[in-house]
């Protein structure tokens, strides 16, 4: 399957994405500067992150946070390997109890 769902956790992509947003992402999609992507930072490969692709660099992508308030907290970005491109954001439907 080339598409999957990802849950946003943390404030690094505010105001574009909020904690609790769901993202539909596509693996092996073409990446362009400015795209929001799911990636693994080379400094922390065990961590899957949602960042903005800035430019191709060192065989990967320079990735950045949209939220300047998280600077210095290890959430700002760096060079990473993109796993998927974000296609759309959605919210879970509210549960109606009857």
């Amino acid at each position: 399957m080339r598409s999957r769902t990802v849950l946003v956790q943390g404030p690094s992509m505010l105001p574009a994405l909020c904690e609790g947003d769901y993202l539909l992402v596509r693996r092996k999609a073409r990446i362009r500067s400015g795209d929001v992507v799911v990636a693994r930072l080379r400094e922390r490969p065990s961590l899957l992150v949602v960042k903005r692709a800035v430019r191709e660099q060192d065989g990967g992508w320079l990735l950045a946070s949209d939220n300047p308030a998280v600077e210095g907290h290890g959430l700002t970005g760096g060079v990473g390997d993109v796993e998927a491109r974000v296609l759309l954001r959605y919210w879970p439907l509210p549960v109606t109890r009857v």
Side-chain angles (χ1 to χ4, degrees):
M1 180 184 289
R2 291 176 44 149
S3 296
R4 70 179 209 186
T5 299
V6 174
L7 174 65
V8 175
Q9 295 179 321
S12 74
M13 289 302 290
L14 284 171
L17 301 173
C18 300
E19 186 161 5
D21 287 347
Y22 285 87
L23 308 173
L24 180 64
V25 302
R26 171 159 287 176
R27 294 178 173 272
K28 300 181 182 180
R30 182 174 176 213
I31 308 302
R32 297 182 187 112
S33 294
D35 285 347
V36 178
V37 298
V38 175
R40 293 191 186 274
L41 295 175
R42 291 186 179 166
E43 293 178 358
R44 298 174 71 186
S46 63
L47 182 64
L48 197 60
V49 297
V50 177
K51 299 289 179 208
R52 191 164 305 276
V54 177
R55 68 175 176 272
E56 291 186 73
Q57 182 173 319
D58 300 328
W61 279 87
L62 178 61
L63 305 169
S65 168
D66 280 1
N67 185 352
V70 297
E71 213 164 300
H73 292 89
L75 301 171
T76 55
V79 176
D81 299 305
V82 173
E83 294 197 2
R85 182 180 57 151
V86 174
L87 300 175
L88 62 92
R89 171 182 69 171
Y90 67 95
W91 303 272
L93 294 171
V95 177
T96 304
R97 294 197 167 109
V98 288

